[in-house]
Amino acid sequence: MEELHLDSNALGDAGVEALAAALKEGAGAKLQVLGLRENGITAKGAQALAGCLAACGSLRELWFLSNELDDAAKQTLREAVAGREGFRLGL
């Protein structure tokens, strides 16, 4: 799977935490695009996702717009993808 679009699915933190656990276990090894717009995700979910991004080495785009992230959560995601040339992060 190269693209996963879960926009507007009301995942919330619990849903994105479950997704992050699966990605960390290798489910996202070939994932290039992950769309999580409008899912009611807060800093807790963003932290979980940031913690699994190292396992998603092929990821080139992460769309996280229209969630409930504070500035610290946004910074956590920025830091998780820092150094990835050409990475597109939508916050």
Side-chain angles (χ1 to χ4, degrees):
M1 171 175 49
E2 294 180 356
E3 293 192 23
L4 180 59
H5 298 277
L6 296 171
D7 305 320
S8 304
N9 276 290
L11 293 177
D13 291 331
V16 83
E17 287 172 337
L19 174 63
L23 294 174
K24 199 171 200 175
E25 294 298 318
K30 295 182 181 181
L31 190 63
Q32 295 179 19
V33 178
L34 178 57
L36 294 169
R37 295 175 189 93
E38 297 179 9
N39 274 296
I41 301 165
T42 70
K44 183 178 177 185
Q47 183 69 38
L49 189 65
C52 82
L53 291 179
C56 301
S58 296
L59 193 66
R60 299 288 171 248
E61 297 182 23
L62 174 60
W63 300 102
F64 226 81
L65 300 161
S66 299
N67 281 291
E68 300 171 21
L69 304 181
D70 59 18
D71 289 339
K74 291 177 183 180
Q75 185 60 30
T76 297
L77 289 169
R78 285 186 193 104
E79 290 171 2
V81 298
R84 293 191 187 193
E85 188 175 332
F87 196 94
R88 296 178 67 193
L89 177 62
L91 297 172

